[in-house]
Amino acid sequence: MKILIVGNMGYVGPVLTKHLRRAHPHATLIGFDAGLFAHCLIGSAPLPEIYLDRQVFGDVRHIDKNLFEGVDAVVNLAAISNDPMGNRFEDATLAINYKAAVELAAVAKRAGVRSYVFASSCSVYGCAEEGAKQESSKVDPLTAYARSKVMAEKELIPMADDRFTVTCLRFATACGMSDRLRLDLVLNDFVAGALSQNKIVVMSDGTPWRPLINVKDMARAIDWAIGRPAEKAGVGLIVNVGSNEWNCQVRDLAHAVAAAIPGVEVSINTNAPPDRRSYRVSYDLYKELAPDFQPLSDLKSTIIEMIEGLKRAGFQNPAYRDSQYMRLNVIGKFREEGLLSDKLELDRSNKKINAV
Ligand SMILES: NC(=O)c1ccc[n+]([C@@H]2O[C@H](COP(=O)([O-])OP(=O)(O)OC[C@H]3O[C@@H](n4cnc5c(N)ncnc54)[C@H](O)[C@@H]3O)[C@@H](O)[C@H]2O)c1
């Protein structure tokens, strides 16, 4: 089996790479990434890319079709991957998360790839507090990021046929340790605040619903999607990935972290304007289709994993919200230095190399 992971050098990619290497020791694994966050490593583990057979650098908007030769499955993780970045760089978000995702699938299909896995998001449901949303429920994307995922799904699903399986995994919000950590994710942010400041600062009024999933369980879901039999759910599938038990309100997440670390204060911004991005999601279909790949981590085990992982890495930085573990800070710095265009394309000219 030969698997191409596009966008492998972010937060999810390293965990997926290690999972696939363990689960399929003889597979050929190729990574493709622009390398925007390549330096955002935490801890002293070996570079996660050593578990690949090959790492290629480039922009998904201009990917070389020769890379698909003999490839059985393409996993597309490449994205401008959250709402703050999507709001700031809307055109690039649509170009990368939507247009390039569809073009990537077209090139893969023409090259004979059998399975295309797209990392979508439960944020497509937008404001959905009344009942848990199913895959057939109406979507209500409230941000450029969520819209980009809806637009991609809409064009990807009709591309599926007997020889080309398409699976759009609508993931809950990720959390947990990765070699390339992100602290701009709600639970990770709370654990980092608790450890570095003895304080959890909840920016919203704490009421939004936010289902979560451990990043290790995302990797297991992708593994399932790569090899899923089309007979059971059809050649083109959209499925929510997470667990019904892990539909939580943000304030519950904060209190669960505080309960795990003695002396931590929770500060909730009761004056914050309501955050409409609040959704409860049903994961029944995923349970039915992938009984052997159900999430193994829960809130408590993930909080402990985060505490131990951050302590092991010597993490103590109370100013972590200004650090490289926030995706927007990294992009902002590259923009200031003139390394990234407003389309978020890397300038690889000699002038820029010398400047750095
Ligand atoms: N982390 C979450 O909570 C979450 C939840 C649901 C879905 N997802 C989706 O899962 C995927 C992976 O998420 P992540 O947390 O690892 O994101 P990330 O931002 O950490 O990683 C994304 C990777 O894509 C690469 N990339 C961006 N633009 C590129 C381009 N033009 N060409 C080539 N590579 C490019 C970046 O360099 C980065 O390595 C994304 O599609 C994201 O939307 C993430």
Side-chain angles (χ1 to χ4, degrees), residues 11-318:
Y11 170 66
V12 177
V15 180
L16 175 66
T17 298
K18 287 182 178 176
H19 171 87
L20 291 177
R21 180 49 72 219
R22 262 194 310 270
H24 309 282
H26 304 298
T28 301
L29 303 179
I30 305 169
F32 179 93
D33 200 292
L36 299 177
F37 310 110
H39 58 296
C40 301
L41 292 157
I42 187 153
S44 55
L47 198 66
E49 286 69 47
I50 63 164
Y51 300 103
L52 296 169
D53 295 279
R54 190 176 160 205
Q55 176 67 52
V56 181
F57 289 101
D59 193 304
V60 69
R61 289 165 283 190
H62 316 288
I63 195 165
D64 179 357
K65 62 179 186 320
N66 292 324
L67 208 57
F68 295 81
E69 215 177 287
V71 169
D72 299 290
V74 171
V75 178
N76 184 13
L77 303 173
I80 301 306
S81 59
N82 65 16
D83 289 334
M85 284 194 290
N87 295 341
R88 182 102 166 261
F89 304 104
E90 188 161 344
D91 291 348
T93 297
L94 292 183
I96 296 166
N97 300 13
Y98 156 48
K99 291 264 186 229
V102 173
E103 181 56 23
L104 186 70
V107 178
K109 187 176 174 178
R110 279 199 294 277
V113 170
R114 285 186 294 102
S115 175
Y116 181 86
V117 181
F118 178 64
S120 188
S121 163
C122 285
S123 66
V124 298
Y125 296 117
C127 183
E129 293 177 327
E130 283 85 50
K133 291 285 173 183
Q134 295 175 330
E135 292 77 358
S136 54
S137 305
K138 199 170 160 289
V139 293
D140 179 19
L142 298 174
T143 60
Y145 171 73
R147 269 196 305 282
S148 71
K149 297 292 184 185
V150 172
M151 290 161 89
E153 286 181 352
K154 210 169 162 182
E155 290 189 29
L156 288 172
I157 291 299
M159 294 170 78
D161 64 21
D162 289 348
R163 279 172 300 180
F164 187 64
T165 303
V166 174
T167 313
C168 299
L169 302 171
R170 284 184 182 164
F171 286 116
T173 298
C175 55
M177 281 309 287
S178 159
D179 291 330
R180 284 203 183 80
L181 190 62
R182 286 177 61 174
L183 294 178
D184 52 12
L185 297 165
V186 61
L187 188 72
N188 296 4
D189 171 59
F190 290 169
V191 177
L195 286 179
S196 63
Q197 309 167 358
N198 285 326
K199 194 168 175 178
I200 296 171
V201 180
V202 182
M203 314 269 224
S204 70
D205 67 0
T207 57
W209 289 87
R210 201 57 49 84
L212 295 189
I213 184 169
N214 188 298
V215 63
K216 289 200 290 260
D217 290 321
M218 291 172 80
R220 297 173 63 250
I222 291 169
D223 189 8
W224 166 77
I226 288 171
R228 74 174 179 89
E231 298 82 53
K232 206 166 170 188
V235 289
L237 172 71
I238 294 177
V239 59
N240 299 330
V241 178
S243 54
N244 291 337
E245 296 71 34
W246 218 351
N247 270 304
C248 291
Q249 282 179 290
V250 168
R251 63 179 170 218
D252 298 333
L253 300 175
H255 289 300
V257 174
I261 305 173
V264 166
E265 176 199 339
V266 176
S267 143
I268 292 185
N269 186 358
T270 44
N271 295 323
D275 185 350
R276 290 191 61 227
R277 297 167 309 160
S278 176
Y279 39 90
R280 293 160 72 182
V281 178
S282 162
Y283 297 100
D284 289 349
L285 179 63
Y286 183 58
K287 203 169 197 168
E288 186 194 322
L289 294 177
D292 299 334
F293 292 83
Q294 288 301 295
L296 299 176
S297 300
D298 60 14
L299 178 58
K300 211 167 170 188
S301 68
T302 303
I303 291 171
I304 292 167
E305 171 192 309
M306 287 292 304
I307 294 170
E308 288 175 352
L310 286 174
K311 280 189 176 166
R312 211 170 31 244
F315 171 84
Q316 288 175 329
N317 181 9

